[in-house]
Amino acid sequence: MSINIVTLVGRVGGDPDMKYFEDSGSVKCKLTLAVRRRSRNNDEPDWFNLELWGNTAEVAGRFVRKGSLIGIKGSLKFDTWNDRTTGALRSSPVIRVDQLDLLGSKRDEGEMMDNNPDNF
């Protein structure tokens, strides 16, 4: 048996990066998410790369902005590629989001945060 489930709540680090695929009609959204880890010694947030597809991506594109408080549920995957200069195999962890919850209130929308990590 194996389980690959990731659940996070945090603030979005930038506006959604939307990509539309004309040949398939699919839509993809990339986001970064700052999540504060509960620790006495570390005030810096952990940053996660998120990937959303289809209707979930459309919702993110319409309603999510930098500083939005969101909750996500998805799975961990690794994007891999060959480095252009060295040819070495590289990888990066990405959360493939299946469920997106918009957690901020209407008041939060008017008080979007700046890019200061202390706000996360």
Side-chain angles (χ1 to χ4, degrees):
M1 181 172 134
S2 59
I3 298 173
N4 182 355
I5 299 172
V6 177
T7 304
L8 300 169
V9 173
R11 296 229 178 238
V12 177
D15 287 341
D17 177 15
M18 305 295 291
K19 184 171 184 180
Y20 295 88
F21 299 92
E22 292 180 20
D23 54 333
S24 65
S26 297
V27 60
K28 176 180 174 181
C29 175
K30 290 184 178 182
L31 295 171
T32 57
L33 188 69
V35 178
R36 187 179 304 241
R37 186 182 331 170
R38 294 185 184 254
S39 169
R40 290 183 186 183
N41 302 331
N42 187 5
D43 286 340
E44 294 295 314
D46 291 323
W47 288 91
F48 296 91
N49 294 316
L50 308 181
E51 177 181 282
L52 301 84
W53 288 87
N55 290 337
T56 308
E58 292 283 1
V59 169
R62 289 183 59 204
F63 299 108
V64 174
R65 292 293 171 260
K66 177 181 175 181
S68 295
L69 180 64
I70 63 170
I72 62 101
K73 189 175 208 176
S75 56
L76 179 65
K77 70 174 197 153
F78 286 88
D79 284 344
T80 58
W81 68 94
N82 289 320
D83 188 285
R84 289 183 184 171
T85 56
T86 66
L89 186 62
R90 303 278 184 192
S91 66
S92 176
V94 177
I95 310 296
R96 170 72 155 75
V97 176
D98 298 317
Q99 179 181 334
L100 169 67
D101 294 315
L102 306 173
L103 302 176
S105 67
K106 290 287 186 186
R107 192 185 86 191
D108 288 342
E109 291 175 14
E111 300 173 3
M112 287 296 179
M113 298 168 38
D114 60 16
N115 200 20
N116 185 346
D118 294 335
N119 291 335
F120 291 96

